[in-house]
Amino acid sequence: MTFKTRLILPAALLSAALAAVPACAQEEQRNAGPYAYASPNGAPMSFADLIDEVSPAVVSIEARGSSEPSEMPDMSQLPPQFREFFERFGGLPGQQAPRPRRSQGSGFFISADGYVVTNNHVIDGADEIQVGLADGRTLAAEVVGTDAPTDLALLRVTEGDGPFSYVELDRDLDIRVGDWVVAVGNPFGLGGTATAGIVSASGRQMGPQQAYTDFLQIDAPINRGNSGGPTFDLNGNVVGVNSAIISPTGGNVGIGFAIPSDLAAQVVDQLIDTGEVRRGYLGVAPSDLTDDLKEAMGLDPDVEGVLINQVIAGTPAEDGGFENGDIVTAINGNPVSDARALTRRVGAVPPGETVRFTVLRDGRERTVRVELAERPGEDEMQDTGPALEPGQMRMFGMTLEVPDDEARERLGLGERGLIITDIEPQSEAAEKGLRPGDAIVEAVGSDVTSMEDFQSAVEDARERGRAAVLVYVRTQGGQGRYVALELDGEE
């Protein structure tokens, strides 16, 4: 057994020891730069030199616009005392008038001629954008381009004399969990705020709407207003663009997320060149190949790949020969093991290029070559489902119809149920794991026997002010489970 001992010196003796260091050695250490002050374990004694260097490039952003008119709630559902209050102050109009919208965030210059990087959600819908500089100036800026899937936006200052102080995005990111980082931004309108911490994790995933981003998780405190600001390494390089926090209170709890700088650099380059980001598009609804799926499909447990749940009609995937149930194991010879990786890697290929997919089908390995199209915009992606046929309905991104006798018997539905025949990629239904062939048998505690039953249940949940409608689903395997389909955005 080995014991380590620590030598504890009295304060007076320690001071004397430090004083004994020659003055020339002390001066040499001071002139050696910030790293001369690092303690033996690598933690800097101060971040002051770093912050002095990068702060002039960090800006605060104020975006102003008008909100859309919103529907007033049904006052008949309110208790009498609240209803009386609303009737006294403003009555019961059908709509609220548009209200001024103002958001604050952060950003940073990436060039001397005035390009500024920030978050898309900071400036989304803005009619006027003001950029506040560290020297006290406030300058107007315009939008060069935005990319909602990565929550990035590129601005350019339209007034004021340059050159501007700027920082650089680390294009060859090599940062590890445990490395020090410093965030500078405009939390709660307090411009020029600096916080420090470490990289807590990498490769964080935050749902299907952020399918193209594997976030850095950091514990350098970031709060509202830090969005769009930079996270630096100790060399002064931007390693992340702050984007989101997890907090039950709205304040920092030590879990923040930043868009990796190498991804941000790729997006910014395209926005500078063309004002938009173009991504490759295949046209499939993929899902992870889980252990239970492998067992059900008779696959070896060691098989890694992505299951194709649906090939969307009229897309490159259909033209190239993909089939429902295919398992993609490699893209251009490089293994792929999860649905997000497939989406990102297809998106990284320029439209018009041909991609080689290695596919397992009926127990045999095949090669499928597909010329990718350009990924549709977000609005178009919501409408990628096939045209509805008589007797069909589409809600929450799923196409529903009354099941035939074979489906009723197979799923044990009796007289209940609506069968799901199609699922749109990245829809609410897809996010909740629903699949073609599943059946919705209950909604809000009542049996669903027709389209009208389901529509009425959804409308009833909305009128009650519910955030989601609870449905009971019978899966193809004969199992049942409850699913909450969020009403936000569902018409």
Side-chain angles (χ1 to χ4, degrees):
M1 182 177 296
T2 302
F3 295 92
K4 294 184 178 180
T5 61
R6 298 176 60 188
L7 178 62
I8 301 176
L9 297 177
L13 182 58
L14 179 60
S15 298
L18 292 174
V21 177
C24 60
Q26 295 180 32
E27 183 65 25
E28 181 179 349
Q29 185 183 43
R30 278 194 294 271
N31 293 335
Y35 300 104
Y37 296 92
S39 61
N41 64 359
M45 296 295 289
S46 173
F47 297 103
D49 289 340
L50 168 64
I51 293 169
D52 284 345
E53 179 183 352
V54 301
S55 289
V58 182
V59 302
S60 60
I61 294 177
E62 182 174 303
R64 298 181 180 181
S66 296
S67 63
E68 295 294 327
S70 58
E71 293 291 334
M72 288 288 288
D74 183 358
M75 297 301 177
S76 65
Q77 304 295 319
L78 295 176
Q81 64 271 29
F82 291 109
R83 188 164 63 248
E84 179 182 352
F85 173 85
F86 282 108
E87 289 173 347
R88 183 181 301 173
F89 296 98
L92 296 174
Q95 282 188 326
Q96 292 177 322
R99 295 174 296 174
R101 174 187 177 274
R102 179 180 172 218
S103 65
Q104 289 185 323
S106 306
F108 54 98
F109 283 108
I110 59 166
S111 68
D113 56 351
Y115 281 112
V116 175
V117 172
T118 186
N119 282 153
N120 177 60
H121 77 259
V122 171
I123 55 86
D124 187 32
D127 301 318
E128 178 184 353
I129 300 172
Q130 298 286 326
V131 172
L133 277 62
D135 61 12
R137 288 182 292 168
T138 300
L139 307 177
E142 64 182 5
V143 177
V144 176
T146 63
D147 184 49
T150 56
D151 193 26
L152 288 168
L154 182 67
L155 313 178
R156 189 166 190 176
V157 170
T158 56
E159 61 182 14
D161 296 328
F164 299 100
S165 297
Y166 67 94
V167 289
E168 295 185 351
L169 291 161
D170 189 343
R171 294 171 176 270
D172 187 20
L173 186 61
D174 183 22
I175 197 164
R176 301 177 301 165
V177 173
D179 283 346
W180 281 99
V181 290
V182 175
V184 183
N186 183 41
F188 303 111
L190 302 172
T193 297
T195 56
I198 63 170
V199 176
S200 305
S202 61
R204 288 297 194 209
Q205 302 175 2
M206 297 180 63
Q209 298 306 316
Q210 288 82 33
Y212 293 98
T213 307
D214 280 338
F215 291 88
L216 295 176
Q217 181 182 323
I218 63 174
D219 72 350
I222 60 175
N223 292 279
R224 293 178 181 176
N226 272 113
S227 292
T231 292
F232 297 97
D233 64 14
L234 295 189
N235 295 315
N237 296 316
V238 179
V239 295
V241 182
N242 299 324
S243 181
I245 62 173
I246 287 181
S247 171
T249 63
N252 178 268
V253 294
I255 300 178
F257 298 97
I259 303 159
S261 58
D262 50 356
L263 172 61
Q266 296 172 21
V267 171
V268 166
D269 287 347
Q270 291 194 58
L271 293 178
I272 291 175
D273 290 342
T274 65
E276 62 180 358
V277 176
R278 302 178 69 216
R279 293 185 172 88
Y281 177 63
L282 180 59
V284 297
S287 67
D288 294 342
L289 189 60
T290 59
D291 289 340
D292 57 339
L293 285 172
K294 293 178 188 178
E295 183 177 355
M297 300 173 74
L299 298 174
D300 189 285
D302 295 332
V303 171
E304 297 290 338
V306 180
L307 176 64
I308 303 302
N309 290 311
Q310 178 199 357
V311 178
I312 300 171
T315 64
E318 183 184 52
D319 295 340
F322 266 100
E323 296 181 6
N324 293 348
D326 282 350
I327 299 170
V328 179
T329 59
I331 300 175
N332 287 337
N334 298 311
V336 60
S337 59
D338 64 78
R340 286 176 60 89
L342 185 145
T343 300
R344 287 195 306 273
R345 287 165 60 178
V346 167
V349 178
E353 288 197 10
T354 297
V355 176
R356 176 170 48 89
F357 296 89
T358 304
V359 170
L360 282 179
R361 182 187 301 164
D362 299 327
R364 294 177 55 195
E365 187 173 277
R366 306 166 185 262
T367 297
V368 178
R369 290 179 170 81
V370 179
E371 181 179 334
L372 301 181
E374 181 175 352
R375 184 180 188 272
E378 294 304 305
D379 293 339
E380 297 175 75
M381 290 294 289
Q382 298 301 317
D383 298 323
T384 54
L388 293 178
E389 299 177 0
Q392 290 184 331
M393 172 180 69
R394 184 175 297 131
M395 296 184 74
F396 301 99
M398 56 185 172
T399 302
L400 300 166
E401 65 180 33
V402 175
D404 56 23
D405 292 339
E406 186 275 332
R408 290 188 185 280
E409 182 177 353
R410 173 169 47 85
L411 296 174
L413 300 178
E415 298 300 318
R416 301 185 302 167
L418 294 177
I419 199 80
I420 302 173
T421 62
D422 179 75
I423 298 284
E424 296 176 10
Q426 299 186 345
S427 65
E428 173 66 9
E431 182 179 350
K432 295 302 171 63
L434 299 181
R435 298 172 181 170
D438 293 345
I440 294 178
V441 296
E442 291 181 13
V444 198
S446 298
D447 289 348
V448 172
T449 61
S450 65
M451 305 287 189
E452 292 75 16
D453 285 347
F454 188 52
Q455 289 175 316
S456 296
V458 171
E459 189 59 33
D460 180 62
R462 182 178 285 110
E463 290 178 356
R464 291 172 179 267
R466 302 280 178 82
V469 55
L470 184 67
V471 301
Y472 187 72
V473 178
R474 184 69 58 82
T475 68
Q476 296 184 68
Q479 304 297 314
R481 67 186 180 105
Y482 284 100
V483 175
L485 297 172
E486 296 183 15
L487 290 167
D488 183 29
E490 174 63 30
E491 298 297 334

